[in-house]
Amino acid sequence: MKRLFGLIMVVALGCCFVLFERESIASPSVSDATEACLTCHTSIHPGMVADWRKSLHAQVSPEEALKKDPMSRRISAEEVPEDLAKTVVGCAECHMLNSEKHKDTFEHNGFTVHLVVTPEDCSTCHPVEVKQYGKNLMSHAAVNLDNNPVYRHLADSANGVQTFENGKLTLRPPDEETNADSCFYCHGTEVKVRGLKSRETNMGKMEFPILSGWPNQGVGRINPDGSKGSCAACHTRHQFSIEMARKPHTCSECHKGPDVPAYGVYEVSKHGNIYSSLNKGWDFKEVPWRIGKDFTAPTCAVCHVSLTVDEANEIISERTHQMNDRNAWRLMGLIYGHAHPKSPNTSLIKNKAGLPLPTELTGEPVSMFLIDAKEQEKRNAAMQKVCLACHSESWVTGQFVRFENTLKTTNEMTLTATKIMLEAWNKGVAKGLAQNDSIFNEAIEKKWVEQWLFYANSTRFASAMAGADYGVFANGRWTLSKNLQEMMDWLEFKLQGLKVQELQTTKEKPKARKP
Amino acid sequence: MKRLFGLIMVVALGCCFVLFERESIASPSVSDATEACLTCHTSIHPGMVADWRKSLHAQVSPEEALKKDPMSRRISAEEVPEDLAKTVVGCAECHMLNSEKHKDTFEHNGFTVHLVVTPEDCSTCHPVEVKQYGKNLMSHAAVNLDNNPVYRHLADSANGVQTFENGKLTLRPPDEETNADSCFYCHGTEVKVRGLKSRETNMGKMEFPILSGWPNQGVGRINPDGSKGSCAACHTRHQFSIEMARKPHTCSECHKGPDVPAYGVYEVSKHGNIYSSLNKGWDFKEVPWRIGKDFTAPTCAVCHVSLTVDEANEIISERTHQMNDRNAWRLMGLIYGHAHPKSPNTSLIKNKAGLPLPTELTGEPVSMFLIDAKEQEKRNAAMQKVCLACHSESWVTGQFVRFENTLKTTNEMTLTATKIMLEAWNKGVAKGLAQNDSIFNEAIEKKWVEQWLFYANSTRFASAMAGADYGVFANGRWTLSKNLQEMMDWLEFKLQGLKVQELQTTKEKPKARKP
Amino acid sequence: MKRLFGLIMVVALGCCFVLFERESIASPSVSDATEACLTCHTSIHPGMVADWRKSLHAQVSPEEALKKDPMSRRISAEEVPEDLAKTVVGCAECHMLNSEKHKDTFEHNGFTVHLVVTPEDCSTCHPVEVKQYGKNLMSHAAVNLDNNPVYRHLADSANGVQTFENGKLTLRPPDEETNADSCFYCHGTEVKVRGLKSRETNMGKMEFPILSGWPNQGVGRINPDGSKGSCAACHTRHQFSIEMARKPHTCSECHKGPDVPAYGVYEVSKHGNIYSSLNKGWDFKEVPWRIGKDFTAPTCAVCHVSLTVDEANEIISERTHQMNDRNAWRLMGLIYGHAHPKSPNTSLIKNKAGLPLPTELTGEPVSMFLIDAKEQEKRNAAMQKVCLACHSESWVTGQFVRFENTLKTTNEMTLTATKIMLEAWNKGVAKGLAQNDSIFNEAIEKKWVEQWLFYANSTRFASAMAGADYGVFANGRWTLSKNLQEMMDWLEFKLQGLKVQELQTTKEKPKARKP
């Protein structure tokens, strides 16, 4: 009878196992320091703690994580410091790491903690990813914008406050909070410690650091320990769910606007359609990620980041956090689509005209700073390996030929807009480089910006990711073409103004000459 | 052996219970009147009936609902009329309630029924919610638009039909159907009974009321019983699913356009990303709603409506249907962002210039009609309590400082646009208030509207809800800035026209003077 | 004891059955030819093969499919060729069908295969659907665009490359790749065989056809066997999931842009909200599809395509692949909303002015090519039968009255725009039909296009599908109205230019006359 009962329990437990497998992992211990944190913070920030409890960090110790076979492992360190190895990764494990390097470190209830956890901290267990990310343009998103006078002018012209007095507009440069709420929200702020502030709490008076540039989780954030980036941009605190990082919504936080409409394009692509329609049955947690088995269409991560394998566990693509190492071209025209920069630090680039741009104003690439054809070929091959997992060679070849043609024609349409703007500068109806004026502050210049930043970019993304509907009427070829007419009309209107002025002058002159 | 079989059955049933728990509620009885409705309507409107069968209304009687502990209860009445208490809430229970107050009541197959179920009807079981909703701006959305001459002019200028004759445009005011299909679709129509109409049915000839302003489920609908609002706007008929009301798609029905882009902003915010990526594992039905346990990121309802608790069942925020009582500021600029109005009836407001607007045309708030700093502080504290469930104090403080800065700068950018428009009025190239002309019908006025209604609003929502990508290029700061240039060019073009006219006149005059 | 164990196994298996039911179908055999394909392609294209394995094609043989009762059947052939009947539908079954008709047929490892599977191929098992689809405008989407000089001009003006030389813009007609990447991506390319190409593979050197117009899966694709269309546009390869075809994301691939914003409208409609909030609990695979039971709100397919029944299995609407046979009106204004064309081949249409348009330039319908009032009534009745499954008669009637009013007013607003453009042509400030110039290349003409293609269309779709938020400010009535002002200003600006020119001329003339 006992055996029978045992058997029944086996069946019952088996059923439960099927139902609850994911949650059945026995929890290893929490460190004393983290236990201390949780004592108060569970009630102060219940959502934060509950979110963390759902994370793998809360369920597996680094020591256990290292026991997994290398392909399935989610940590890339060969070994982990002994004092961190045996407990789960809790509050204290991250917020007390490398305290000495952190300017935001402070004494808190007997512990030495810091507020901002940085890639440098994460690299204790994830060194390979952090190193790769350092080669990613994203890690330099803040400095590349901040140190580039051309881009800063563009940002200032959008973010500054304009006032109207005596018939004229005047631009007041944007304040720090506005910048942090705009471009640098995604690019990353510089987080600085401004001092300490005393505050009444449930535990009595306590001191906390005052941070500027906070909150922020931009991809190129400059951190109080001097490091660059924020892993939390994609690996959302405090669950750090791989499922979430692999879903396209994460990328959409920064890549949906008309300047980089990758997500908007994905949504109307066949890939996006399959994802939206069928993803509820996919497995977003498996490592390595099995093409066809775990999912049947790519998300952003599949093509640009994840370690993917076929059914025989053969690697299709290696995991990368450089992300652009399967991209031959940088679609996002600054000002033209061009080969990817060699270095993630684009503020080093200077074109022949002395501008910090990867192409001349008339489109010629500044080749010495950009990857060469051989490297492009290598990257295309790496990307196409992913495509070929589901598509025939003729399909893939055709797609790439078509895309490169679109890159060429959208660059041509940008050049045309540039030429109209140059004409406006030459005719003296707008002020540009020669006049040492911002090239972003007049109406025709803003139309020029939209030509490449919105319309050429949208058309290129629509082509690259096969979401054609986005590249026709919604900010695509239609607008690319219409905008040129509007630039021409603006030019005509201003030239007309010159004529009227001339007529008025000559009307006055004869009178003067008469006597 | 029997005991053994019993044991097995327990195990098996246990498994089934885990799988089917939600549907295992024993159904209480349906009233005779509802039974009569169902006899025909199950085959006439199968979708409607099937939808209702999935509702809690169809599964629980008010008497049973009252037995739940107060925190978990979904009805707020202390007691329910005896004739309604013991059966489920079916067709008859709602469509036969308060017949005497309903102008749309008619005799139907021996029953006295009305078509339009109203908040007044719902308040039989849900009085607290209906009362709170009465203090919500939304409940007055129809009358606030209809009774405000400025807003009506704006609506007419958009909805009217324009015709072109003899080189001029003429505006024909919009007809009733157009208004119902446009602004009043969300704001709510006035539903009136126009008479009775006889119609052939399966049951022979029958008479039904003819309604105007129908169909409609706008938030401020004026109902045939004189009440305001439609609970079905959010609690969609006939399932009235709390899951649906708590999901952001419901709010998106009216809050996605460029005028109030709350949903668009939410989608690209970290909160929206977490929702989109992970919500399939959340519990949207639990009452009270447990932060961290049932969900790990806010939907619209979490911050603005729902009763939320922490893991210890301590209340984090009370349920409210006033919805703006955690909002210190009214973001949606009419014309500037400003402190929330005291009364939901905004048609009472008059500014110094005599216009029914909460600010002067130049931005100064009409303080006597708006909540004061103390009430704002109270509302901010209530909202921040929700934020603090997942974020640190420094994060939350930083977010609010940044948002209030954005409120200020977007108001400044609106003021600049206003000044350009005033200049156009003063120079006589556009007609405005002084000329007793619509302030919405000329191109520069429409650009002015877009400055506050689209671009300043979008920037503010993006800031408030931390969906920055929406506030930069997509209708955000970039357009806020570009639009000013375009307004200036329009002004220049019109002034140029004056000069040309003058040149033509002086060309004629000399000839006249010559003799 | 054995019986006991057996009993336990029954319970356990029962549980498993509940969990895995969908996958428990016993697999019939795969043909030898398909087995041969799989030998290599499983490792060459793992995603493609894994996707197919999830399809019904891979699980059911046509013979078994024919055993289902007619209502539940997914194939419409009365019988299937014997050589196809007994195995599942694998690679060989489709890619080796009708080889003799296929210009893309080639010898491949001992087999005669073709790359492009066409509706003609699919009709072997699905003849009724293919025949219906032939009557659908979509099947003619490529030829209707390609053979219509007016539409081609529109396409060329958007897709062509413009260059700026000597102060003027010149348009270079679009190349083939650009067209395939733009309009014809959705409309369908013409897929042609350009020759054979030798390529090194794992199996040694092999020859493959070179295709132009490839990749493509546009709805009106012109195939190498002469047939029109691509079933894969909606029935995505290689899973061919009915769930996916029934979800709105599929339609959004081509119907989201500002020209046909059906999906954007759906998203903010009550229907779209219910779908987004509650669809995870719906059954998208059941055939016939039970309203109320399997789903509680319509997707695109419910109203336009699917076979739906009520709870008693009574048919509410028949399956159709003509899709427009429940649509009385063609909303997508070309140039005005109008009754649907009789023939899917719209290139036959000629209006009184000799243009291939379904209305005159001033809106009058070209009735002889369009369905008559009786047919419209029939289609409205068919559509309303779907509406009535969930809505009362007064609701549905009101909705249709309102929609037809919107159709009328948006046509009026289009006519006004047309009249302004005609004025521009007449006054000589733009060149149009009389001057034998493109009617799409000047700024005012592009504004005119947006009036009907974007704003009037959006307003109509918003009205028809009750997603009002899309039809007010987002490309709706607001823009419809604002655009007219901008067209007027453009006209004024150009007329001003004429005046300035005249002033300059008369200034010169007197001088000439003086002596």
Side-chain angles (χ1 to χ4, degrees), chain B residues 411-467:
Chain B
N411 276 347
E412 280 184 88
M413 289 292 271
T414 298
L415 177 59
T416 303
T418 306
K419 284 184 177 170
I420 300 174
M421 185 180 67
L422 291 173
E423 180 94 345
W425 290 350
N426 290 338
K427 299 273 187 185
V429 295
K431 282 187 227 162
L433 287 174
Q435 291 77 27
N436 231 339
D437 191 56
S438 160
I439 62 175
F440 303 113
N441 58 349
E442 295 177 87
I444 197 169
E445 293 161 349
K446 289 182 187 288
K447 283 177 190 296
W448 170 70
V449 169
E450 295 192 346
Q451 185 78 354
W452 46 269
L453 190 61
F454 292 2
Y455 313 137
N457 277 353
S458 294
T459 308
R460 283 194 285 265
F461 275 95
S463 179
M465 295 164 58

Side-chain angles (χ1 to χ4, degrees), chain A residues 4 45 47-48 54 157 162 172 175 181 185 215 232-233 236 247 250 253 256-257 441 443 446 450 490 494, chain B residues 4 267 270 273 277 292 388-391 402 405-406 412 416 463 468-469 477-478 481-482 485 489 492:
Chain A
L4 189 60
H45 303 303
M48 199 193 282
K54 293 182 178 170
S157 81
Q162 297 182 57
R172 192 175 78 218
D175 57 75
D181 202 33
Y185 190 94
T236 301
K247 285 189 171 171
T250 290
E253 280 188 49
K256 195 178 179 190
N441 57 349
K446 290 182 187 289
E450 295 191 346
W490 189 93
K494 286 289 182 173
Chain B
L4 188 60
E267 269 189 313
K270 184 61 90 183
N273 173 11
S277 298
L388 288 165
C390 298
H391 295 286
R402 195 177 286 165
N405 185 64
T406 293
E412 280 184 88
T416 303
S463 179
D469 194 51
R477 286 182 177 86
W478 169 259
S481 153
K482 183 183 172 224
Q485 296 298 329
D489 281 346
E492 185 181 331

Side-chain angles (χ1 to χ4, degrees), chain A residues 3 50 90 101 158 248 267 304 323 370 372 391 425 433 458 511:
Chain A
R3 275 185 60 195
K101 294 186 193 159
E267 269 189 314
H304 297 289
M323 297 189 193
L370 310 179
D372 59 17
H391 294 287
W425 290 351
L433 287 174
S458 294
K511 282 180 195 170

Side-chain angles (χ1 to χ4, degrees), chain A residues 16 19-20, chain B residues 13-22:
Chain A
C16 293
L19 285 164
F20 301 114
Chain B
L13 284 171
C15 295
C16 293
F17 183 73
V18 167
L19 285 163
F20 300 113
E21 183 203 16
R22 295 222 165 268

Side-chain angles (χ1 to χ4, degrees), chain A residues 394-454:
Chain A
S394 67
W395 184 279
V396 175
T397 310
Q399 161 66 19
F400 274 70
V401 166
R402 195 177 285 165
F403 158 63
E404 295 201 350
N405 185 64
T406 293
L407 190 63
K408 191 168 65 77
T409 56
T410 52
N411 276 347
E412 280 184 87
M413 289 292 271
T414 298
L415 177 60
T416 303
T418 306
K419 284 183 177 171
I420 301 174
M421 185 179 69
L422 291 173
E423 179 95 345
W425 290 351
N426 290 337
K427 299 272 186 185
V429 294
K431 281 187 227 160
L433 287 174
Q435 291 76 27
N436 232 339
D437 191 54
S438 160
I439 62 175
F440 302 114
N441 57 349
E442 295 176 87
I444 197 169
E445 292 160 349
K446 290 182 187 289
K447 284 178 189 295
W448 171 70
V449 169
E450 295 191 346
Q451 185 78 354
W452 44 270
L453 190 62
F454 292 1

Side-chain angles (χ1 to χ4, degrees), chain A residues 201-367:
Chain A
T201 75
N202 288 343
M203 309 279 293
K205 205 162 231 175
M206 282 181 143
E207 282 200 319
F208 298 92
I210 310 166
L211 301 180
S212 68
W214 191 248
N216 184 267
Q217 46 200 344
V219 292
R221 193 178 65 195
I222 302 164
N223 298 306
D225 65 350
S227 68
K228 287 193 196 74
S230 164
C231 302
C234 307
H235 299 280
T236 301
R237 295 163 313 139
H238 281 95
Q239 196 171 149
F240 310 102
S241 150
I242 194 170
E243 172 163 10
M244 190 172 166
R246 281 172 167 181
K247 285 189 171 171
H249 316 288
T250 290
C251 310
S252 85
E253 280 188 49
C254 297
H255 296 272
K256 195 178 179 190
D259 49 326
V260 208
Y263 182 77
V265 166
Y266 179 74
E267 269 189 314
V268 296
S269 73
K270 183 61 90 184
H271 293 159
N273 172 12
I274 301 174
Y275 167 78
S276 297
S277 298
L278 302 179
N279 90 76
K280 80 174 171 192
W282 296 358
D283 189 329
F284 284 90
K285 295 181 178 166
E286 204 62 44
V287 174
W289 213 11
R290 297 163 300 177
I291 289 186
K293 199 162 173 67
D294 295 329
F295 59 90
T296 57
T299 64
C300 314
V302 170
C303 297
H304 297 289
V305 190
S306 298
L307 168 65
T308 53
V309 296
D310 65 15
E311 285 187 41
N313 247 25
E314 293 292 324
I315 291 177
I316 290 169
S317 47
E318 297 276 3
R319 183 185 294 119
T320 179
H321 280 68
Q322 185 178 337
M323 297 189 193
N324 63 347
D325 61 6
R326 291 181 216 145
N327 289 347
W329 299 100
R330 194 176 176 206
L331 300 199
M332 202 210 157
L334 291 164
I335 296 162
Y336 298 83
H338 55 271
H340 252 283
K342 284 179 190 166
S343 163
N345 182 352
T346 60
S347 63
L348 306 169
I349 300 175
K350 281 249 167 321
N351 69 11
K352 283 183 198 156
L355 295 170
L357 294 174
T359 69
E360 303 303 325
L361 216 53
T362 41
E364 302 79 4
V366 189
S367 302

Side-chain angles (χ1 to χ4, degrees), chain A residues 4 270 388 406 416 478 489, chain C residues 4 45 162 181 233 450 490:
Chain A
L4 189 60
K270 183 61 90 184
L388 289 165
T406 293
T416 303
W478 169 259
D489 282 345
Chain C
L4 188 61
H45 304 303
Q162 297 182 57
D181 203 32
E450 294 191 347
W490 190 93

